[in-house]
């Protein structure tokens, strides 16, 4: 028995993801990817240029990390595989909680910037 190569595992992962993942989860995954790239770019900018307005860097980076965490929570609640755990929470309720938490997050970030 030989173990599968990395290319085989990667192609199988992509195939399974595209066929078995619902469109809503793919959209949330795209959002999470965008937020992750934004956080990485902010961190690289901080390392290369500096953190002169430290409050601005810190609030932006905290905003991306918190947005990512909120997005992951939304993905967990919306995932059909987790219906047993979140049976009392509808998709609309999960999205409303996500939007409300984002509103609170951005008010805190704007307050922290000064």
């Amino acid at each position: 028995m030989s173990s599968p190569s990395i290319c085989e595992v990667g192609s199988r992962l992509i195939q399974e993801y595209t066929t078995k993942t619902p469109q809503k989860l793919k959209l949330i995954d795209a959002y999470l990817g965008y937020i992750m790239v934004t956080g990485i770019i902010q961190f690289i900018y901080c390392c290369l240029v500096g953190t002169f307005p430290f409050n601005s860097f810190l609030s932006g980076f905290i905003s991306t990390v918190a947005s990512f965490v909120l997005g992951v929570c939304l993905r967990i609640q919306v995932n059909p595989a987790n219906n047993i755990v979140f049976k009392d929470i509808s998709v609309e309720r999960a999205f409303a909680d996500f939007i409300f938490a984002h509103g609170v997050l951005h008010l805190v970030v704007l307050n922290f910037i000064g």
Side-chain angles (χ1 to χ4, degrees), residues 24-57:
K24 287 180 185 179
L25 294 182
K26 289 178 186 176
L27 186 64
I28 294 171
D29 290 342
Y31 170 74
L32 291 175
Y34 167 74
I35 291 295
M36 182 182 293
V37 168
T38 302
I40 291 170
I41 289 171
Q42 285 180 347
F43 186 74
I44 291 172
Y45 179 83
C46 171
C47 291
L48 294 177
V49 177
T51 63
F52 166 56
F54 189 67
N55 285 354
S56 296
F57 162 72

Side-chain angles (χ1 to χ4, degrees), residues 74-93:
L74 177 66
R75 189 186 195 287
I76 290 171
Q77 290 179 355
V78 172
N79 192 350
N82 296 333
N83 279 343
I84 297 169
V85 178
F86 298 106
K87 61 184 172 222
D88 295 335
I89 299 176
S90 67
V91 175
E92 292 82 11
R93 165 74 191 273

